Amino acid sequence: MKLASVALLAIFLTSDFPLLAQENPLQGTPAITQSPPLQSNESTIDVATEKPSGVALDSEFDLNGDSESQQVAQQATQEAAQQLIQQVIHRLAFGRPFDAKIRHRIWTAGREMVGVGTYEQAGGGTGRFNMQVTMHDGDGKHTLQQISDGRLAWTRSVISDKITLRRVDVGRLNEWVRDASRQENTSPTYVPPKLKVGALTEMLDMIQRDYDLKMGKIRSAPLLGISGTLSSEARKRTLLESGAKDWPTLLPTRIMIAIAAEPLPNTNFGQGLPVRIEFWSDPVIGDDSSQPDHPEGRLISLLEIYSVRAIDAPPVERFRFETQDYSIKIINETDRYLRRYGVRLTDSQRKQLRR
């Protein structure tokens, strides 16, 4: 499997991998911003260039005062980041229907590869989405599609002509998880398990679960910034499950997220959704003089969401997956998602899984 393809799947199939005074920074009507690729600005965010080590969100936090005040402020940034990312997940799941373009840039083996694609989400609690990404490298074309009609979520990947099909019975997740917990979450921003499978919602849910998050305002831009470092628990779990001794170089340990803080004037539509997600490595200090050190880590991958627009709710048929790959064995991954919530199916429940 080629390095670019590994990174492509590692990013999207990651389920196994003054602002502080605002109590709710995203109050108001859910919306999606008409967001072009972010413009270069030395004091805010730089668009990726030929030197990815110079690309980063400006995530410095103004934590002044004595150590006790700094500790309080630090805790406030952590709580604000958790609150904000939960609101973003909720908006993706329950907000207005939208579509967008996405660009996925990867730096590996000394070169940059770019994948482009589309993203469409029905919102409204339907769980329906369709994301497609195509990436070209010197070895051919690789594609990834994730699509769900709210009952079945599919992932179809084609890497060097090898086709893989995965499926999750999302229509049963809520029932089985609720039966296991015997209670319903009443939080106003609660998102049920079936709506956190696949695409952006799952990516952000993974980040919320596995990263220690902090929050700050990005300078001179109408954006909110969240930074995060992979927790020690998540790092240990990933190594244990993978059987690896050393951390894979293409798996990130630090993230940066830029979220639209307000709608753009020309659309009046756009508050509260991510426009840019950066994935960074551990610090890189090597003994090979041909490879520069990266004491702050190396940018592995950059995901940009742009040209976002509101749309009418598409019919459910638009999100149904029709496979022509009848010779391909389908991998049912429902169990993996149930284990995340500590659910073990009985024999009779297991027979209900769609084959």
Side-chain angles (χ1 to χ4, degrees), residues 200-262:
L200 290 178
T201 50
E202 180 167 358
M203 181 185 297
L204 293 174
D205 180 58
M206 178 277 296
I207 289 173
Q208 184 182 39
R209 183 182 70 246
D210 289 347
Y211 284 74
D212 296 324
L213 303 177
K214 296 186 294 185
M215 184 172 168
K217 188 174 182 180
I218 299 172
R219 298 191 184 109
S220 305
L223 298 169
L224 301 176
I226 293 178
S227 68
T229 303
L230 191 68
S231 68
S232 57
E233 292 82 2
R235 188 185 288 262
K236 291 177 183 177
R237 184 184 69 244
T238 301
L239 288 174
L240 180 64
E241 292 177 351
S242 67
K245 294 182 179 180
D246 299 317
W247 189 259
T249 57
L250 289 178
L251 285 185
T253 58
R254 190 162 59 91
I255 57 92
M256 301 279 191
I257 307 173
I259 299 164
E262 60 186 46

Short mmCIF file of all heavy atoms in Angstrom, two decimals, residues 200-262:
data_model
loop_
_atom_site.label_atom_id
_atom_site.label_comp_id
_atom_site.label_asym_id
_atom_site.label_seq_id
_atom_site.Cartn_x
_atom_site.Cartn_y
_atom_site.Cartn_z
N LEU A 200 -16.93 13.86 8.51
CA LEU A 200 -16.49 14.91 9.42
C LEU A 200 -16.95 14.69 10.85
O LEU A 200 -16.22 14.99 11.80
CB LEU A 200 -16.98 16.27 8.92
CG LEU A 200 -16.33 16.81 7.65
CD1 LEU A 200 -16.96 18.14 7.25
CD2 LEU A 200 -14.82 16.95 7.81
N THR A 201 -18.17 14.18 11.05
CA THR A 201 -18.65 14.00 12.42
C THR A 201 -17.80 12.97 13.15
O THR A 201 -17.44 13.17 14.32
CB THR A 201 -20.13 13.57 12.44
OG1 THR A 201 -20.31 12.45 11.55
CG2 THR A 201 -21.03 14.70 12.03
N GLU A 202 -17.45 11.90 12.49
CA GLU A 202 -16.62 10.89 13.15
C GLU A 202 -15.21 11.41 13.38
O GLU A 202 -14.60 11.14 14.43
CB GLU A 202 -16.56 9.60 12.32
CG GLU A 202 -15.70 8.54 12.99
CD GLU A 202 -15.86 7.17 12.37
OE1 GLU A 202 -16.68 7.01 11.44
OE2 GLU A 202 -15.16 6.25 12.82
N MET A 203 -14.67 12.15 12.42
CA MET A 203 -13.34 12.71 12.60
C MET A 203 -13.28 13.62 13.83
O MET A 203 -12.37 13.51 14.66
CB MET A 203 -12.93 13.49 11.36
CG MET A 203 -11.53 14.09 11.44
SD MET A 203 -11.15 15.12 10.03
CE MET A 203 -11.22 13.92 8.70
N LEU A 204 -14.26 14.51 13.97
CA LEU A 204 -14.28 15.42 15.11
C LEU A 204 -14.59 14.68 16.41
O LEU A 204 -14.07 15.03 17.48
CB LEU A 204 -15.29 16.53 14.87
CG LEU A 204 -14.94 17.50 13.73
CD1 LEU A 204 -16.07 18.48 13.48
CD2 LEU A 204 -13.64 18.24 14.00
N ASP A 205 -15.44 13.66 16.35
CA ASP A 205 -15.73 12.86 17.54
C ASP A 205 -14.47 12.15 18.02
O ASP A 205 -14.20 12.08 19.23
CB ASP A 205 -16.84 11.86 17.22
CG ASP A 205 -17.20 10.99 18.42
OD1 ASP A 205 -17.58 11.56 19.47
OD2 ASP A 205 -17.12 9.75 18.31
N MET A 206 -13.69 11.63 17.07
CA MET A 206 -12.42 10.99 17.43
C MET A 206 -11.47 11.99 18.08
O MET A 206 -10.82 11.70 19.08
CB MET A 206 -11.79 10.37 16.19
CG MET A 206 -10.44 9.70 16.41
SD MET A 206 -9.01 10.85 16.39
CE MET A 206 -9.08 11.43 14.70
N ILE A 207 -11.38 13.18 17.49
CA ILE A 207 -10.52 14.21 18.05
C ILE A 207 -10.95 14.58 19.46
O ILE A 207 -10.13 14.71 20.37
CB ILE A 207 -10.51 15.45 17.13
CG1 ILE A 207 -9.75 15.14 15.83
CG2 ILE A 207 -9.88 16.65 17.84
CD1 ILE A 207 -9.83 16.24 14.79
N GLN A 208 -12.25 14.74 19.66
CA GLN A 208 -12.75 15.08 20.98
C GLN A 208 -12.44 13.99 22.00
O GLN A 208 -12.12 14.28 23.16
CB GLN A 208 -14.27 15.30 20.93
CG GLN A 208 -14.87 15.75 22.26
CD GLN A 208 -16.37 15.90 22.17
OE1 GLN A 208 -17.05 15.11 21.53
NE2 GLN A 208 -16.90 16.94 22.81
N ARG A 209 -12.50 12.75 21.57
CA ARG A 209 -12.28 11.64 22.49
C ARG A 209 -10.81 11.41 22.80
O ARG A 209 -10.44 11.09 23.94
CB ARG A 209 -12.88 10.36 21.87
CG ARG A 209 -12.79 9.12 22.76
CD ARG A 209 -13.36 7.90 22.06
NE ARG A 209 -12.51 7.45 20.97
CZ ARG A 209 -12.85 7.49 19.69
NH1 ARG A 209 -14.02 7.98 19.34
NH2 ARG A 209 -12.03 7.05 18.75
N ASP A 210 -9.94 11.58 21.80
CA ASP A 210 -8.56 11.13 21.94
C ASP A 210 -7.54 12.24 22.18
O ASP A 210 -6.38 11.94 22.47
CB ASP A 210 -8.14 10.37 20.68
CG ASP A 210 -8.82 9.01 20.59
OD1 ASP A 210 -9.41 8.57 21.59
OD2 ASP A 210 -8.77 8.39 19.50
N TYR A 211 -7.94 13.50 22.06
CA TYR A 211 -6.98 14.60 22.17
C TYR A 211 -7.28 15.48 23.38
O TYR A 211 -8.44 15.71 23.71
CB TYR A 211 -6.99 15.46 20.90
CG TYR A 211 -6.26 14.82 19.73
CD1 TYR A 211 -6.83 13.76 19.04
CD2 TYR A 211 -5.01 15.27 19.34
CE1 TYR A 211 -6.17 13.16 17.98
CE2 TYR A 211 -4.34 14.67 18.27
CZ TYR A 211 -4.94 13.62 17.60
OH TYR A 211 -4.28 13.02 16.56
N ASP A 212 -6.22 15.95 24.01
CA ASP A 212 -6.35 16.97 25.05
C ASP A 212 -6.41 18.32 24.34
O ASP A 212 -5.43 18.75 23.72
CB ASP A 212 -5.15 16.91 26.00
CG ASP A 212 -5.08 15.59 26.76
OD1 ASP A 212 -6.15 15.05 27.11
OD2 ASP A 212 -3.96 15.09 26.99
N LEU A 213 -7.56 18.97 24.43
CA LEU A 213 -7.84 20.15 23.60
C LEU A 213 -7.67 21.45 24.37
O LEU A 213 -7.91 21.51 25.58
CB LEU A 213 -9.26 20.06 23.04
CG LEU A 213 -9.58 18.80 22.23
CD1 LEU A 213 -11.04 18.82 21.80
CD2 LEU A 213 -8.67 18.69 21.01
N LYS A 214 -7.29 22.48 23.64
CA LYS A 214 -7.23 23.85 24.16
C LYS A 214 -7.82 24.77 23.11
O LYS A 214 -7.90 24.42 21.93
CB LYS A 214 -5.79 24.25 24.49
CG LYS A 214 -5.16 23.45 25.60
CD LYS A 214 -3.79 24.00 25.96
CE LYS A 214 -2.79 23.84 24.82
NZ LYS A 214 -1.43 24.26 25.20
N MET A 215 -8.19 25.95 23.54
CA MET A 215 -8.88 26.85 22.63
C MET A 215 -8.31 28.26 22.72
O MET A 215 -7.87 28.71 23.76
CB MET A 215 -10.37 26.87 22.99
CG MET A 215 -11.23 27.69 22.07
SD MET A 215 -12.96 27.41 22.49
CE MET A 215 -13.69 28.73 21.53
N GLY A 216 -8.33 28.95 21.59
CA GLY A 216 -7.92 30.34 21.55
C GLY A 216 -8.47 31.00 20.31
O GLY A 216 -8.96 30.34 19.40
N LYS A 217 -8.41 32.30 20.27
CA LYS A 217 -8.90 33.03 19.12
C LYS A 217 -7.78 33.26 18.13
O LYS A 217 -6.69 33.69 18.50
CB LYS A 217 -9.49 34.37 19.55
CG LYS A 217 -10.21 35.12 18.43
CD LYS A 217 -10.89 36.35 18.97
CE LYS A 217 -11.65 37.08 17.87
NZ LYS A 217 -12.34 38.29 18.38
N ILE A 218 -8.03 32.96 16.87
CA ILE A 218 -7.02 33.17 15.84
C ILE A 218 -6.96 34.65 15.50
O ILE A 218 -7.98 35.28 15.24
CB ILE A 218 -7.36 32.33 14.59
CG1 ILE A 218 -7.35 30.84 14.97
CG2 ILE A 218 -6.36 32.60 13.47
CD1 ILE A 218 -7.85 29.94 13.87
N ARG A 219 -5.76 35.19 15.51
CA ARG A 219 -5.59 36.63 15.35
C ARG A 219 -6.03 37.11 13.96
O ARG A 219 -5.75 36.46 12.96
CB ARG A 219 -4.14 37.04 15.58
CG ARG A 219 -3.62 36.74 16.98
CD ARG A 219 -2.28 37.41 17.20
NE ARG A 219 -1.73 37.05 18.48
CZ ARG A 219 -0.68 36.27 18.63
NH1 ARG A 219 -0.09 35.75 17.57
NH2 ARG A 219 -0.21 35.99 19.82
N SER A 220 -6.67 38.24 13.93
CA SER A 220 -6.98 38.96 12.70
C SER A 220 -7.79 38.14 11.71
O SER A 220 -7.67 38.33 10.50
CB SER A 220 -5.69 39.45 12.02
OG SER A 220 -4.93 40.22 12.92
N ALA A 221 -8.60 37.20 12.18
CA ALA A 221 -9.42 36.39 11.29
C ALA A 221 -10.71 36.03 12.02
O ALA A 221 -10.70 35.82 13.23
CB ALA A 221 -8.68 35.14 10.87
N PRO A 222 -11.83 35.95 11.29
CA PRO A 222 -13.10 35.57 11.93
C PRO A 222 -13.19 34.07 12.13
O PRO A 222 -14.08 33.39 11.64
CB PRO A 222 -14.13 36.07 10.91
CG PRO A 222 -13.44 35.94 9.60
CD PRO A 222 -12.00 36.28 9.87
N LEU A 223 -12.20 33.54 12.86
CA LEU A 223 -12.11 32.10 13.09
C LEU A 223 -11.84 31.82 14.55
O LEU A 223 -11.21 32.61 15.24
CB LEU A 223 -10.96 31.50 12.26
CG LEU A 223 -11.05 31.61 10.73
CD1 LEU A 223 -9.73 31.20 10.10
CD2 LEU A 223 -12.18 30.75 10.20
N LEU A 224 -12.32 30.69 15.01
CA LEU A 224 -11.98 30.17 16.32
C LEU A 224 -10.99 29.03 16.13
O LEU A 224 -11.10 28.25 15.18
CB LEU A 224 -13.22 29.66 17.05
CG LEU A 224 -14.33 30.69 17.28
CD1 LEU A 224 -15.55 30.03 17.92
CD2 LEU A 224 -13.84 31.84 18.15
N GLY A 225 -10.03 28.93 17.03
CA GLY A 225 -9.00 27.90 16.90
C GLY A 225 -9.04 26.90 18.04
O GLY A 225 -9.22 27.26 19.20
N ILE A 226 -8.90 25.63 17.70
CA ILE A 226 -8.76 24.57 18.68
C ILE A 226 -7.47 23.82 18.37
O ILE A 226 -7.23 23.44 17.22
CB ILE A 226 -9.94 23.58 18.64
CG1 ILE A 226 -11.24 24.26 19.10
CG2 ILE A 226 -9.67 22.36 19.53
CD1 ILE A 226 -12.46 23.36 19.03
N SER A 227 -6.64 23.64 19.36
CA SER A 227 -5.45 22.81 19.20
C SER A 227 -5.56 21.62 20.13
O SER A 227 -6.25 21.67 21.15
CB SER A 227 -4.17 23.60 19.51
OG SER A 227 -4.11 23.91 20.89
N GLY A 228 -4.90 20.54 19.78
CA GLY A 228 -4.99 19.35 20.61
C GLY A 228 -3.75 18.48 20.50
O GLY A 228 -3.12 18.42 19.45
N THR A 229 -3.43 17.81 21.60
CA THR A 229 -2.33 16.86 21.65
C THR A 229 -2.88 15.50 22.02
O THR A 229 -3.70 15.38 22.93
CB THR A 229 -1.28 17.29 22.71
OG1 THR A 229 -0.83 18.61 22.40
CG2 THR A 229 -0.10 16.33 22.71
N LEU A 230 -2.46 14.47 21.30
CA LEU A 230 -2.95 13.12 21.54
C LEU A 230 -2.71 12.73 22.99
O LEU A 230 -1.60 12.87 23.51
CB LEU A 230 -2.26 12.14 20.61
CG LEU A 230 -2.84 10.72 20.56
CD1 LEU A 230 -4.21 10.73 19.91
CD2 LEU A 230 -1.89 9.79 19.80
N SER A 231 -3.75 12.23 23.64
CA SER A 231 -3.62 11.85 25.04
C SER A 231 -2.75 10.61 25.18
O SER A 231 -2.63 9.80 24.25
CB SER A 231 -5.00 11.59 25.66
OG SER A 231 -5.57 10.42 25.09
N SER A 232 -2.15 10.46 26.34
CA SER A 232 -1.30 9.29 26.57
C SER A 232 -2.11 8.00 26.50
O SER A 232 -1.62 6.97 26.03
CB SER A 232 -0.60 9.40 27.94
OG SER A 232 -1.56 9.54 28.99
N GLU A 233 -3.38 8.05 26.95
CA GLU A 233 -4.24 6.87 26.90
C GLU A 233 -4.50 6.45 25.46
O GLU A 233 -4.43 5.26 25.11
CB GLU A 233 -5.57 7.14 27.61
CG GLU A 233 -5.46 7.32 29.11
CD GLU A 233 -5.04 8.74 29.49
OE1 GLU A 233 -4.88 9.58 28.57
OE2 GLU A 233 -4.87 9.00 30.69
N ALA A 234 -4.78 7.43 24.60
CA ALA A 234 -5.04 7.12 23.19
C ALA A 234 -3.79 6.59 22.50
O ALA A 234 -3.85 5.69 21.66
CB ALA A 234 -5.56 8.36 22.47
N ARG A 235 -2.67 7.17 22.84
CA ARG A 235 -1.41 6.70 22.24
C ARG A 235 -1.14 5.25 22.63
O ARG A 235 -0.80 4.41 21.77
CB ARG A 235 -0.25 7.60 22.69
CG ARG A 235 1.06 7.32 21.98
CD ARG A 235 2.18 8.16 22.59
NE ARG A 235 2.05 9.56 22.24
CZ ARG A 235 2.73 10.14 21.25
NH1 ARG A 235 3.57 9.43 20.52
NH2 ARG A 235 2.58 11.43 21.01
N LYS A 236 -1.30 4.94 23.90
CA LYS A 236 -1.05 3.56 24.36
C LYS A 236 -2.04 2.60 23.71
O LYS A 236 -1.67 1.49 23.30
CB LYS A 236 -1.18 3.50 25.88
CG LYS A 236 -0.07 4.21 26.63
CD LYS A 236 -0.31 4.17 28.13
CE LYS A 236 0.76 4.93 28.89
NZ LYS A 236 0.48 4.95 30.36
N ARG A 237 -3.31 3.01 23.61
CA ARG A 237 -4.32 2.14 23.02
C ARG A 237 -4.03 1.85 21.55
O ARG A 237 -4.14 0.72 21.09
CB ARG A 237 -5.70 2.78 23.15
CG ARG A 237 -6.83 1.88 22.64
CD ARG A 237 -8.18 2.57 22.70
NE ARG A 237 -8.27 3.66 21.73
CZ ARG A 237 -8.42 4.92 22.04
NH1 ARG A 237 -8.46 5.31 23.30
NH2 ARG A 237 -8.51 5.85 21.09
N THR A 238 -3.61 2.89 20.83
CA THR A 238 -3.32 2.72 19.41
C THR A 238 -2.14 1.77 19.19
O THR A 238 -2.18 0.89 18.33
CB THR A 238 -3.02 4.08 18.76
OG1 THR A 238 -4.16 4.94 18.93
CG2 THR A 238 -2.73 3.92 17.28
N LEU A 239 -1.09 1.93 19.98
CA LEU A 239 0.06 1.04 19.86
C LEU A 239 -0.31 -0.39 20.23
O LEU A 239 0.10 -1.34 19.57
CB LEU A 239 1.20 1.53 20.75
CG LEU A 239 1.94 2.79 20.29
CD1 LEU A 239 2.96 3.23 21.33
CD2 LEU A 239 2.63 2.55 18.94
N LEU A 240 -1.13 -0.55 21.27
CA LEU A 240 -1.54 -1.89 21.70
C LEU A 240 -2.37 -2.57 20.62
O LEU A 240 -2.14 -3.74 20.30
CB LEU A 240 -2.32 -1.80 23.01
CG LEU A 240 -2.81 -3.12 23.59
CD1 LEU A 240 -1.62 -3.99 23.96
CD2 LEU A 240 -3.71 -2.88 24.81
N GLU A 241 -3.32 -1.85 20.05
CA GLU A 241 -4.22 -2.44 19.06
C GLU A 241 -3.49 -2.73 17.75
O GLU A 241 -3.84 -3.67 17.03
CB GLU A 241 -5.41 -1.53 18.82
CG GLU A 241 -6.34 -1.42 20.02
CD GLU A 241 -7.48 -0.45 19.80
OE1 GLU A 241 -7.46 0.26 18.78
OE2 GLU A 241 -8.41 -0.41 20.63
N SER A 242 -2.50 -1.90 17.41
CA SER A 242 -1.79 -2.09 16.15
C SER A 242 -0.68 -3.12 16.27
O SER A 242 -0.23 -3.68 15.26
CB SER A 242 -1.20 -0.76 15.67
OG SER A 242 -0.17 -0.33 16.56
N GLY A 243 -0.21 -3.35 17.49
CA GLY A 243 0.91 -4.26 17.69
C GLY A 243 2.26 -3.65 17.36
O GLY A 243 3.28 -4.35 17.36
N ALA A 244 2.28 -2.35 17.08
CA ALA A 244 3.53 -1.67 16.73
C ALA A 244 4.30 -1.28 18.00
O ALA A 244 3.71 -0.97 19.03
CB ALA A 244 3.24 -0.43 15.90
N LYS A 245 5.61 -1.29 17.88
CA LYS A 245 6.46 -0.87 18.99
C LYS A 245 6.70 0.63 18.95
O LYS A 245 6.77 1.28 20.00
CB LYS A 245 7.79 -1.63 18.95
CG LYS A 245 7.65 -3.12 19.21
CD LYS A 245 9.02 -3.79 19.22
CE LYS A 245 8.90 -5.27 19.49
NZ LYS A 245 10.23 -5.95 19.49
N ASP A 246 6.87 1.15 17.75
CA ASP A 246 7.12 2.58 17.57
C ASP A 246 5.93 3.25 16.90
O ASP A 246 5.19 2.62 16.12
CB ASP A 246 8.37 2.80 16.72
CG ASP A 246 9.61 2.20 17.37
OD1 ASP A 246 9.76 2.36 18.60
OD2 ASP A 246 10.41 1.57 16.65
N TRP A 247 5.75 4.52 17.18
CA TRP A 247 4.61 5.24 16.63
C TRP A 247 4.77 5.42 15.11
O TRP A 247 5.79 5.91 14.64
CB TRP A 247 4.49 6.61 17.30
CG TRP A 247 3.23 7.32 16.92
CD1 TRP A 247 3.10 8.32 16.01
CD2 TRP A 247 1.93 7.07 17.43
NE1 TRP A 247 1.78 8.70 15.90
CE2 TRP A 247 1.03 7.95 16.77
CE3 TRP A 247 1.42 6.18 18.38
CZ2 TRP A 247 -0.33 7.97 17.03
CZ3 TRP A 247 0.06 6.19 18.64
CH2 TRP A 247 -0.80 7.08 17.97
N PRO A 248 3.74 5.02 14.32
CA PRO A 248 3.83 5.18 12.86
C PRO A 248 3.98 6.65 12.48
O PRO A 248 3.25 7.51 13.00
CB PRO A 248 2.50 4.61 12.36
CG PRO A 248 2.05 3.69 13.45
CD PRO A 248 2.52 4.31 14.72
N THR A 249 4.89 6.93 11.58
CA THR A 249 5.19 8.33 11.24
C THR A 249 4.03 9.03 10.56
O THR A 249 3.98 10.26 10.57
CB THR A 249 6.42 8.40 10.32
OG1 THR A 249 6.17 7.61 9.15
CG2 THR A 249 7.66 7.87 11.03
N LEU A 250 3.11 8.30 9.94
CA LEU A 250 1.99 8.92 9.24
C LEU A 250 0.75 9.09 10.11
O LEU A 250 -0.27 9.58 9.64
CB LEU A 250 1.63 8.11 7.99
CG LEU A 250 2.64 8.17 6.85
CD1 LEU A 250 2.20 7.30 5.70
CD2 LEU A 250 2.84 9.61 6.38
N LEU A 251 0.85 8.70 11.38
CA LEU A 251 -0.29 8.93 12.28
C LEU A 251 -0.02 10.19 13.10
O LEU A 251 1.04 10.33 13.72
CB LEU A 251 -0.50 7.73 13.21
CG LEU A 251 -1.14 6.50 12.57
CD1 LEU A 251 -1.41 5.45 13.64
CD2 LEU A 251 -2.42 6.84 11.83
N PRO A 252 -0.97 11.12 13.13
CA PRO A 252 -0.74 12.40 13.82
C PRO A 252 -0.82 12.27 15.33
O PRO A 252 -1.46 11.37 15.87
CB PRO A 252 -1.89 13.26 13.29
CG PRO A 252 -2.98 12.29 12.98
CD PRO A 252 -2.28 11.06 12.48
N THR A 253 -0.16 13.20 16.00
CA THR A 253 -0.24 13.29 17.46
C THR A 253 -0.66 14.69 17.91
O THR A 253 -0.78 14.95 19.10
CB THR A 253 1.12 12.95 18.10
OG1 THR A 253 2.12 13.85 17.58
CG2 THR A 253 1.53 11.52 17.80
N ARG A 254 -0.84 15.59 16.95
CA ARG A 254 -1.28 16.94 17.27
C ARG A 254 -2.18 17.45 16.16
O ARG A 254 -1.98 17.15 14.99
CB ARG A 254 -0.07 17.87 17.43
CG ARG A 254 -0.39 19.24 18.00
CD ARG A 254 0.89 19.91 18.53
NE ARG A 254 1.91 20.06 17.51
CZ ARG A 254 2.05 21.14 16.74
NH1 ARG A 254 1.20 22.17 16.86
NH2 ARG A 254 3.02 21.22 15.85
N ILE A 255 -3.22 18.18 16.54
CA ILE A 255 -4.16 18.70 15.55
C ILE A 255 -4.39 20.19 15.77
O ILE A 255 -4.18 20.71 16.87
CB ILE A 255 -5.52 17.95 15.58
CG1 ILE A 255 -6.16 18.04 16.98
CG2 ILE A 255 -5.35 16.51 15.14
CD1 ILE A 255 -7.09 19.17 17.18
N MET A 256 -4.80 20.86 14.72
CA MET A 256 -5.24 22.25 14.76
C MET A 256 -6.52 22.34 13.94
O MET A 256 -6.59 21.81 12.84
CB MET A 256 -4.19 23.18 14.15
CG MET A 256 -2.83 23.16 14.81
SD MET A 256 -2.77 24.15 16.31
CE MET A 256 -0.99 24.15 16.60
N ILE A 257 -7.52 23.01 14.48
CA ILE A 257 -8.80 23.15 13.79
C ILE A 257 -9.16 24.63 13.73
O ILE A 257 -9.09 25.33 14.74
CB ILE A 257 -9.93 22.38 14.51
CG1 ILE A 257 -9.54 20.92 14.73
CG2 ILE A 257 -11.23 22.47 13.73
CD1 ILE A 257 -10.53 20.16 15.58
N ALA A 258 -9.57 25.09 12.55
CA ALA A 258 -10.09 26.44 12.40
C ALA A 258 -11.59 26.34 12.12
O ALA A 258 -12.02 25.61 11.23
CB ALA A 258 -9.39 27.16 11.24
N ILE A 259 -12.38 27.08 12.89
CA ILE A 259 -13.84 27.03 12.82
C ILE A 259 -14.36 28.43 12.53
O ILE A 259 -13.92 29.41 13.14
CB ILE A 259 -14.42 26.52 14.15
CG1 ILE A 259 -13.91 25.10 14.43
CG2 ILE A 259 -15.95 26.54 14.14
CD1 ILE A 259 -14.10 24.66 15.85
N ALA A 260 -15.29 28.52 11.60
CA ALA A 260 -15.86 29.83 11.25
C ALA A 260 -16.59 30.41 12.46
O ALA A 260 -17.49 29.79 13.01
CB ALA A 260 -16.83 29.68 10.08
N ALA A 261 -16.19 31.61 12.86
CA ALA A 261 -16.79 32.27 14.02
C ALA A 261 -18.01 33.10 13.66
O ALA A 261 -18.78 33.49 14.53
CB ALA A 261 -15.75 33.14 14.73
N GLU A 262 -18.17 33.40 12.37
CA GLU A 262 -19.30 34.22 11.93
C GLU A 262 -19.58 33.93 10.47
O GLU A 262 -18.70 33.45 9.74
CB GLU A 262 -18.99 35.71 12.12
CG GLU A 262 -17.79 36.17 11.34
CD GLU A 262 -17.41 37.61 11.64
OE1 GLU A 262 -17.37 37.97 12.84
OE2 GLU A 262 -17.15 38.37 10.68
#
